[in-house]
Every structure is written in structure tokens, then in C-alpha cells.
Amino acid sequence: MDDLSELDRKNIWHPFTALQGANDPVLITSARGVYLHTSDGRKILDAISSWWVNLHGHANPQIAKAIGEQAAELEHVIFAGFTHKPAIKLSENLLSILPDNQKKIFFSDNGSTAVEVALKIAFQYWHNQNIKKQAVIALKGAYHGDTFGSMSVGDRGLFTKPFSPYLFQTSFVDFPERGRGEDVIRQFKELISQNNVAAFIFEPLVQAAAGMRIYSPGVLDELISYAQEHQVVCIADEVFTGFGRTGKYFACEHLVHQPDIMALSKGITGGFLPLGVTSCSSKIIGAFDFPQLEKTFFHGHSYTANPLACAAANASFELLTQPLCQSRIDRITRLHADFAASLNGNEKVLQVRTLGTILAIELVTPEETAYGNPLRQKIYTYFLKKNILLRPLGNVIYVLPPYVISDEELHHVYEAIEGFVGTL
């Protein structure tokens, strides 16, 4: 195993990791349920669903079986001019739980590309009608991915600084934290009054990468309603929030007004294979529904609608929509709320936020809350030594477990968090 670690150091460039000074990555040899098994015999509890993708536990046998059966039948085929049953079935499955106004599914490869597709569709929607609208509105603190379009509509900061000269301009309104809703709505209306806004993109109710910041559905409803009244395309980035994370299948279910376009990924395959989806309403489709070549949406990837990924997503869908999974989501939601209440009044805790299976604990530090907060490495190291994977967002500890986690395992995580807070 030492040879493998040496080869890793020699050959691999890991994401969000400095090339010098970082600890060697932990070598994982297998996984089952909520546990990652290491080459040296450790068993690490995956309390963040391996970057938010795992819904039903690692190596889920039902999803693994579906992939194996599909691999023996059809592993891949070009999706331009051809189709296949797993993609057709998945489109039906998704549309059965998406908001009623969503009518078509466009496949891609991951969350960033799902957002890229959404932006390109929104821009071409206006282009196809010979209407010049180019401006985009987003929320401060937004994170929509790492490709150029998704970076352009994300908050400017540590992740985007080297690329700032190459990003298209986006207008940002303040994050609608409690007590700021009316001011944010005012800013929003002022921007829309310029009559050149093509799209409004948002992470519904939760800004994940910004520290699991949660905001009011009432404010978002008003923003969407005003935008749509003034002919602005509304894009919901549900890459993180989709598939039960907020207690409902999609965060937009907490709203009255529904987006025109939705971007999905992360949990769509239960954490097995990469897949992105962008869904659209009939209104959006109407601007493309012509035989002329110039009105075609020219976007695609070699692995678009990969049958193996679609098979995994269909198996994950079957698990997600069972009463057992919904009861697990409700149980995690309840346990998170109880633990959050137990931390109220703790002088070392600035704020505790919960929504569905999301729990975020923002700790008091001399520095401002940000990804680069120096407490981040201390938190990560502390929990990893206790065989718990919690990858904090700066000084924000968050828990986002696979839905199969038991009460005992979740309480073990809570107790470790209490222990860490006690060291501050």
C-alpha cells in the first residue's frame, strides 16, 4: 500500500489541494453503508456523503446490481440520433417528481455542466426570439460550479480570482439573510428595471459551499414571481439540494412559484456514477421547437445519458421514493433539529442551521466566516483522527449523512462535535 501512496504523490493532482504542504490522501480500499475502509484497517464514518453525492450508503447492492446488469447489455451509445431504455425511463422518473411545469430533460455529466447547459439554454432562449437580453442576476455567496459559465455566476473570491478577467459580468444582490429580505427585493427590482436581464440563477434555500447558509422561501418566492412577471428566466441550481436533502425531493417544493429551468446532479445516481440533468418548462422549450437548424441547441458530451449512469439513477430513484427512505429522511431531520436545539446558547457557537438532512454549526472565531478560515484544518484533522469524515466549510461544521445512517451512528457524530466545541 505504501507503493500506491507513493504513486499517488508522484502522478495525481487532487482537487482543492495544495501541491505542497498537504497531508497525504487517505487510501480507501472499500466502502459499505456509511463507512469507508482504509488500507490500514480503519473504518471512517462518511458524515458528508462523499461530497454530498451518496444517498443510500456505499456499495448499495440494488444500485450495484442495476449497473452490472446494464453493463452486460449496453455500456454506452452516442445519444445524438440514438436513445435507450435507461435514459427514457429516467426521464419519466424525474418528471414524475419534478415540479409540474418541468417538461423536458437534457442530459450532461455533472453539476457544473448541468448549470452550463441551463445558462446556455437561457441565453439561447432570448437569441432564438431575436431579443437582446444578456445580463444575469445571482446572489452574493453563490457557488454554481467550476466551469467558466458556472464560475461567472458564482461569487468572486478565492476559487475564481485567477480567472476573473475571463468571466462574463453578473450582477449580485445581497444574500437574503433574516431581516434583509426587503432590501434584497429592492436591489433585485432595481436591476430588473434595466430591462436587459436574461436570467436569475439561485441555489434554492441553501447556499451550500458558502457555509450551508439558509434563507427564507418567502423571499425567494417573491424574487421568482417578480422576475417571471418581467420576463426573466429563473434557473434553480438544485445540484446540492435535490433528491431529499431539504426534506423534500427538491428544495423548490418549499416554494409557491416554480423555476423555468432546473439543474440537477450530486445525488441523482446515489453516489455511484457522474450524471447531470437540466430540466426545462414548456415556455423555454417553445423557443427551440422549430425545424430550423439555427434554433437547435448545440450542446452535448461524449458520455451524455450514459446507460450505466442512467441505470444507477433509476435504481437510486426506486430507493428514494420508497416509504422507508422517506422515513429515514424524516428521522434525520428530527434528530438534526433536536441536536441543534441542544447547542442553542453555547457561547462558542455563532449559529446553528438546519433544513431537512442538512445540519450546519457555525463556530465563533476571530476571523470572518469563509472557506479559508484557519479553523478549517483543525476541525478536519480532529474528526479524521476520530474516524469521522467531516470536511468543514471554513469555521462551519456541517453534517450531511447518507440516509441509511443509524441513530447510534448519528449520535456518535453529534457527541464528537460536542467534544470538539468543548476544546475551543
Side-chain angles (χ1 to χ4, degrees), residues 292-312:
Q292 293 96 325
L293 192 64
E294 63 268 21
K295 291 186 184 286
T296 300
F297 183 55
F298 287 107
H299 187 103
H301 300 268
S302 300
Y303 282 91
T304 292
N306 173 255
L308 302 180
C310 290

Side-chain angles (χ1 to χ4, degrees), residues 312-326:
N314 285 321
S316 179
F317 174 89
E318 294 300 326
L319 292 167
L320 177 69
T321 53
Q322 289 176 7
L324 176 59
C325 185
Q326 295 305 302

Side-chain angles (χ1 to χ4, degrees), residues 59-70:
N60 179 278
Q62 186 170 327
I63 301 177
K65 181 183 178 185
I67 294 171
E69 290 175 350
Q70 184 60 48

Side-chain angles (χ1 to χ4, degrees), residues 343-410:
L343 292 175
N344 286 336
N346 190 310
E347 62 182 11
K348 297 172 184 177
V349 176
L350 183 64
Q351 189 181 59
V352 186
R353 302 182 283 273
T354 64
L355 180 63
T357 67
I358 305 161
L359 168 68
I361 301 148
E362 187 171 342
L363 300 172
V364 174
T365 62
E367 302 83 9
E368 67 178 38
T369 296
Y371 185 85
N373 190 294
L375 191 59
R376 175 181 172 274
Q377 189 58 45
K378 182 179 178 181
I379 295 170
Y380 179 75
T381 302
Y382 177 92
F383 288 102
L384 200 54
K385 285 181 178 178
K386 292 183 174 293
N387 290 325
I388 298 173
L389 174 55
L390 287 175
R391 186 181 171 91
L393 297 159
N395 59 316
V396 177
I397 299 172
Y398 72 90
V399 182
L400 189 85
Y403 301 148
V404 297
I405 194 169
S406 70
D407 288 15
E408 293 75 19
E409 289 161 340
L410 203 44

Side-chain angles (χ1 to χ4, degrees), residues 122-307:
F123 291 141
Q124 191 172 340
Y125 171 80
W126 298 113
H127 175 83
N128 282 3
Q129 300 176 80
N130 296 314
I131 298 172
K132 189 173 182 180
K133 283 193 172 190
Q134 298 176 330
V136 179
I137 301 175
L139 301 179
K140 288 182 180 177
Y143 175 82
H144 295 288
D146 297 327
T147 49
F148 270 87
S150 59
M151 280 194 297
S152 294
V153 295
D155 199 50
R156 304 299 196 263
L158 179 65
F159 293 175
T160 60
K161 188 175 181 179
F163 317 107
S164 292
Y166 315 106
L167 305 180
F168 63 74
Q169 186 175 354
T170 296
S171 297
F172 294 94
V173 296
D174 289 338
F175 177 76
E177 57 193 336
R178 185 174 297 178
R180 294 292 314 282
E182 290 303 317
D183 188 42
V184 171
I185 292 167
R186 179 189 55 76
Q187 295 173 32
F188 191 77
K189 290 180 176 179
E190 286 178 2
L191 288 171
I192 287 182
S193 68
Q194 299 171 24
N195 295 320
N196 67 338
V197 179
F200 166 44
I201 185 169
F202 53 90
E203 299 157 275
L205 306 191
V206 187
Q207 284 192 332
M212 300 295 170
R213 299 198 297 177
I214 297 170
Y215 63 105
S216 163
V219 173
L220 183 55
D221 253 327
E222 190 158 348
L223 296 177
I224 295 172
S225 175
Y226 191 83
Q228 291 177 334
E229 284 175 12
H230 291 78
Q231 302 303 307
V232 173
V233 174
C234 292
I235 302 170
D237 176 355
E238 291 244 23
V239 169
F240 166 71
T241 51
F243 305 101
R245 288 303 187 188
T246 67
K248 296 181 182 292
Y249 287 134
F250 300 101
C252 286
E253 290 183 57
H254 295 274
L255 305 172
V256 175
H257 300 281
Q258 295 304 321
D260 302 297
I261 302 173
M262 296 176 67
L264 313 173
S265 189
K266 292 290 185 189
I268 191 169
T269 67
F272 273 71
L273 288 166
L275 181 65
V277 158
T278 306
S279 67
C280 297
S281 69
S282 296
K283 181 183 83 172
I284 300 300
I285 294 301
F288 295 83
D289 197 10
F290 299 95
Q292 293 96 325
L293 192 64
E294 63 268 21
K295 291 186 184 286
T296 300
F297 183 55
F298 287 107
H299 187 103
H301 300 268
S302 300
Y303 282 91
T304 292
N306 173 255

Side-chain angles (χ1 to χ4, degrees), residues 1-53:
M1 295 301 180
D2 288 344
D3 290 343
L4 288 176
S5 294
E6 179 57 36
L7 284 171
D8 183 283
R9 283 191 294 271
K10 177 183 176 184
N11 297 338
I12 297 177
W13 195 342
H14 287 269
F16 297 94
T17 305
L19 288 178
Q20 289 192 27
N23 294 330
D24 286 343
V26 179
L27 180 58
I28 300 301
T29 56
S30 64
R32 179 76 60 178
V34 298
Y35 292 102
L36 306 169
H37 299 274
T38 71
S39 59
D40 57 357
R42 295 166 62 193
K43 195 168 76 167
I44 299 173
L45 197 160
D46 184 356
I48 61 164
S49 299
S50 284
W51 246 345
W52 319 341
V53 301

